[in-house]
C-alpha cells in the first residue's frame, strides 16, 4: 500500500478498520449493530476506568493479533491491571480493547463472500462451547442446530451489512455472541478463516476458487451458480497439538 502496489482483495484501509478494535466498535455503532459495551485503553489506569464503566467480567484483547493471542477474561481490578501491563509490555504501542463479557452467552459465526456489490453467505455455524472459548478451539455445527429463525436472520443481516461497510472483496468471517435472543457482533475478520475449507467440503462447493477469482477482480458473484449439497449436519472438531 505504501509503495502504491494494489493489494489483492479487500484494501489495506478496510482491513485496518476491522483489525483496529476501537475503530471497528465505532463502525458497529454507526451501523446500529449490537455489540458488547466497550472502551479502549492505552494504560492500566485507563483500563481500570473503562472496566468500571462497562462492568465486570470483561474481555481484554489487543488490536492486530490472530488466533486469540493475548486475549483474557478478567473479573477484578487486580487481574485486569496484570493483564493490561503484560499486553502493553509484549505489544508496545498497541491499544487494548476492554469489552463487557457476555456471561453464559452462546457463540456462532458466519463466513461470507462479497464482490463489492453482492454478498453470499457461505454458511452459519453454531458453537457447542459457550462464548469465551476461542473459535479455533471450539466445535462448530453447520448449519446451526438450535438457533431460532429470528437469530439466524439477524446473523445474516449483520453479515451483509458489515461486508458492505468494510468494502470486502473476497471472504469475511464474523463472530457473534447470542444471549436472550439478542445477537451481538464480537469481531469481523475480512479474510479467509479456517472454517471456509470446512464449509466448502461440507457443502461440496469450491468456495476458495470462487473467492480467489472475485479477489482478483476477474469475476462477480453473479458469474457462479452455487448449489449446496449437505444432507444433515457437518461438525468441525478442533485438533490440539498436545
Amino acid at each position: 500500500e505504501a509503495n502504491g502496489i494494489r493489494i489483492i482483495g479487500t484494501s489495506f484501509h478496510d482491513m485496518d478498520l476491522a483489525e483496529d478494535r476501537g475503530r471497528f466498535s465505532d463502525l458497529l455503532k454507526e451501523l446500529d449493530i449490537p455489540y458488547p459495551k466497550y472502551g479502549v485503553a492505552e494504560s492500566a489506569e485507563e483500563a481500570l476506568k473503562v472496566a468500571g464503566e462497562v462492568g465486570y467480567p470483561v474481555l481484554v484483547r489487543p488490536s492486530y493479533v490472530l488466533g486469540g493471542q493475548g486475549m483474557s477474561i478478567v473479573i477484578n481490578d487486580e487481574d485486569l491491571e496484570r493483564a493490561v501491563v503484560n499486553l502493553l509490555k509484549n505489544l508496545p504501542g498497541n491499544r487494548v480493547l476492554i469489552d463487557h463479557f457476555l456471561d453464559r452467552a452462546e457463540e456462532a459465526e458466519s463466513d461470507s463472500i462479497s464482490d463489492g456489490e453482492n454478498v453470499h453467505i457461505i454458511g452459519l455455524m453454531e458453537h457447542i462451547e459457550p462464548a469465551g472459548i476461542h473459535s479455533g478451539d471450539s466445535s462448530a455445527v453447520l448449519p446451526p442446530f438450535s438457533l431460532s429463525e429470528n437469530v439466524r436472520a439477524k446473523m445474516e443481516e449483520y453479515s451483509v451489512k458489515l461486508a458492505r461497510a468494510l468494502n470486502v472483496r473476497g471472504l469475511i468471517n464474523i463472530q457473534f455472541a447470542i444471549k436472550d435472543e439478542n445477537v451481538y457482533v464480537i469481531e469481523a475478520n475480512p479474510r479467509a478463516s479456517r472454517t471456509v475449507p470446512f464449509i466448502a467440503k461440507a457443502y461440496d462447493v469450491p468456495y476458495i476458487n470462487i473467492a480467489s477469482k472475485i479477489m482478483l477482480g476477474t469475476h462477480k458473484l453473479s458469474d457462479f451458480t452455487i448449489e449446496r449439497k449437505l444432507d444433515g449436519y457437518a461438525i468441525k472438531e478442533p485438533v490440539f497439538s498436545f
Side-chain angles (χ1 to χ4, degrees), residues 172-186:
I172 180 169
N173 171 267
I174 302 172
Q175 311 276 332
F176 304 93
I178 298 142
K179 190 167 184 179
D180 304 324
E181 284 291 294
N182 294 310
V183 178
Y184 303 87
V185 168
I186 303 172

Side-chain angles (χ1 to χ4, degrees), residues 26 169 226 240:
D26 291 341
R169 300 290 194 279
I226 297 170
F240 298 103

Side-chain angles (χ1 to χ4, degrees), residues 12-165:
F12 163 76
H13 170 77
D14 292 311
M15 284 192 280
D16 187 67
L17 178 54
E19 290 291 337
D20 184 319
R21 304 295 188 189
R23 289 178 68 207
F24 178 66
S25 296
D26 291 341
L27 175 67
L28 293 175
K29 192 174 185 178
E30 282 173 33
L31 295 173
D32 198 25
I33 293 175
Y35 55 91
K37 284 186 193 172
Y38 80 98
V40 178
E42 294 181 6
S43 68
E45 292 75 23
E46 284 182 23
L48 291 170
K49 187 181 173 190
V50 170
E53 291 167 1
V54 305
Y56 286 108
V58 294
L59 183 66
V60 181
R61 51 199 173 132
S63 296
Y64 307 110
V65 296
L66 290 177
Q69 181 193 344
M71 188 176 81
S72 55
I73 298 163
V74 298
I75 59 170
N76 57 47
D77 286 355
E78 188 183 344
D79 290 348
L80 176 65
E81 202 165 354
R82 190 182 304 117
V84 172
V85 167
N86 284 338
L87 275 181
L88 295 175
K89 183 175 69 180
N90 295 326
L91 297 162
N94 208 328
R95 299 199 303 163
V96 178
L97 184 71
I98 295 157
D99 310 75
H100 174 69
F101 177 65
L102 295 162
D103 197 22
R104 299 180 190 279
E106 285 187 85
E107 188 163 342
E109 61 186 296
S110 71
D111 279 303
S112 308
I113 299 180
S114 173
D115 61 11
E117 295 169 17
N118 296 307
V119 181
H120 170 77
I121 294 170
I122 296 173
L124 304 179
M125 286 151 289
E126 179 178 356
H127 290 199
I128 299 291
E129 294 81 4
I133 304 297
H134 186 259
S135 59
D137 299 336
S138 63
S139 307
V141 182
L142 175 81
F145 61 94
S146 72
L147 299 179
S148 68
E149 285 298 321
N150 174 49
V151 165
R152 292 188 205 195
K154 284 180 184 173
M155 286 171 64
E156 290 183 351
E157 178 194 338
Y158 300 158
S159 296
V160 171
K161 263 189 180 180
L162 275 170
R164 287 185 173 144

Side-chain angles (χ1 to χ4, degrees), residues 113 119-122 203-207 210-211 214 220-229:
I113 299 180
V119 181
H120 170 77
I121 294 170
I122 296 173
Y203 281 150
D204 196 16
V205 176
Y207 281 124
I210 293 168
I214 286 170
K220 293 279 189 185
L221 272 167
S222 56
D223 296 328
F224 302 97
T225 302
I226 297 170
E227 293 178 16
R228 295 170 169 175
K229 301 167 191 169

